[in-house]
Each structure stands twice: as structure tokens, then as C-alpha cells.
Amino acid sequence: RTLLWYGNSGYCFCNSTTAFMNCSSVGLSSVAGNLSALCPNLNSVWLNGNNLVALPPDLFAGLTMFYGTLDLSFNNALSALPPTIFSGLSMLYELALTGGLSLTALPPGIFAGLTGLYILRLNQCRLTSLPPGVFAGLTALHALLLSDNLLQQLPVPGPFADLSS
């Protein structure tokens, strides 16, 4: 195990044998560095339940074999995501951005290249709008959760134009 960060409620370790990183509810307010350099071959990361305010744009860069779950849920102070934060995670299976995040908007193209994404959880994010084509290219998507947001209307052609049932 490799110690990555420590928060006010615990420590965050990477287990290189299982390619698993659990940093759930350890009180992190920030993270630094690039995970591929800190813990190569990761395939599941839990950063949920912390106090993250921002994420570095290159946090997940280089994790080309990342095929598991990325959970950033319940980080209530997280109000924006860098537009390229998920670039290169083409094999990602599940992305969870739920539960009290303050993401009123998503950057256009934020999910570009996530061709293997099967589950996208965006419920309870306080989203007020969705950019047109935000879900374009999500060819493997089977579950999209958008409940409990502040969406009032969707633009035409709309964010769902490129999705199939």
C-alpha cells in the first residue's frame, strides 16, 4: 500500500495489488498530483464523501487502463470540473457525481471519449442546464441518472440527441 494523501478524518491509500484506491470520507479538501504517477494501473477510485473544492485537470491523465468505478459523490463544495478531467478514461465503467455536488453546469465535452461508460450518475448535483451534445459519444451508456436536479427545460436538439435507447 502507498500513502497518497491524508485528511482530517483519515488516510488515503492506494493498493497497487488490487489497483484500488479508497479515499472515501477521509476529510480531504484538496488532492494534488497525477494518479497515474502516484499509483499506476488504477482501475477503481473512491474520492466520495470528502470536502473537495477543486480537482486538478490532470488528476486522472495517463490512466488508460482504468475500467472500474470513479466516485466523486458527496463532495458538496465541488462546484466545477475541469473540461478535460475525464480525458483518456475511455474504458471507465461507472462515473458517480451524485449527492449534493454544486455543479450547476457541466462543461461542453466533459464526457467526450468515455466510450466504455455504462453508468453515469448525475443525480442531486444542482444542475440547472445541460449543454447540447453533452452525452455525445457515450455509445455504451445504459444508465443515466439525472433525478433531483434543478433542470427546468432542455435545449433543442438537446443533450440527449446522440443517445440511443
Side-chain angles (χ1 to χ4, degrees), residues 66-70 89-95 114 116-118:
F66 195 108
Y67 59 84
T69 298
L70 174 55
L89 299 179
S90 62
M91 296 171 47
L92 181 65
Y93 179 81
E94 179 180 6
L95 177 58
L114 298 183
L117 192 64
Y118 195 82

Side-chain angles (χ1 to χ4, degrees), residues 5-144:
W5 306 294
Y6 61 92
N8 60 14
S9 302
Y11 298 92
C12 178
F13 287 94
C14 168
N15 188 326
S16 56
T17 304
T18 61
F20 172 84
M21 185 180 90
N22 189 346
C23 299
S24 297
S25 302
V26 295
L28 294 174
S29 58
S30 65
V31 291
N34 175 284
L35 289 181
S36 67
L38 297 170
C39 190
N41 303 318
L42 275 175
N43 63 38
S44 290
V45 172
W46 280 267
L47 282 165
N48 56 302
N50 286 292
N51 302 310
L52 296 174
V53 175
L55 297 172
D58 65 341
L59 184 63
F60 307 112
L63 294 174
T64 55
M65 299 306 292
F66 195 108
Y67 59 84
T69 298
L70 174 55
D71 192 344
L72 297 169
S73 300
F74 298 101
N75 280 290
N76 296 351
L78 194 58
S79 61
L81 292 170
T84 58
I85 187 81
F86 307 121
S87 294
L89 299 179
S90 62
M91 296 171 47
L92 181 65
Y93 179 81
E94 179 180 6
L95 177 58
L97 298 169
T98 65
L101 274 67
S102 299
L103 298 176
T104 57
L106 295 169
I110 184 93
F111 305 121
L114 298 183
T115 54
L117 192 64
Y118 195 82
I119 302 167
L120 178 55
R121 299 176 189 276
L122 292 169
N123 43 316
Q124 299 175 337
C125 288
R126 300 183 187 136
L127 291 171
T128 58
S129 65
L130 295 171
V134 70
F135 304 120
L138 299 181
T139 54
L141 193 66
H142 278 71
L144 173 61

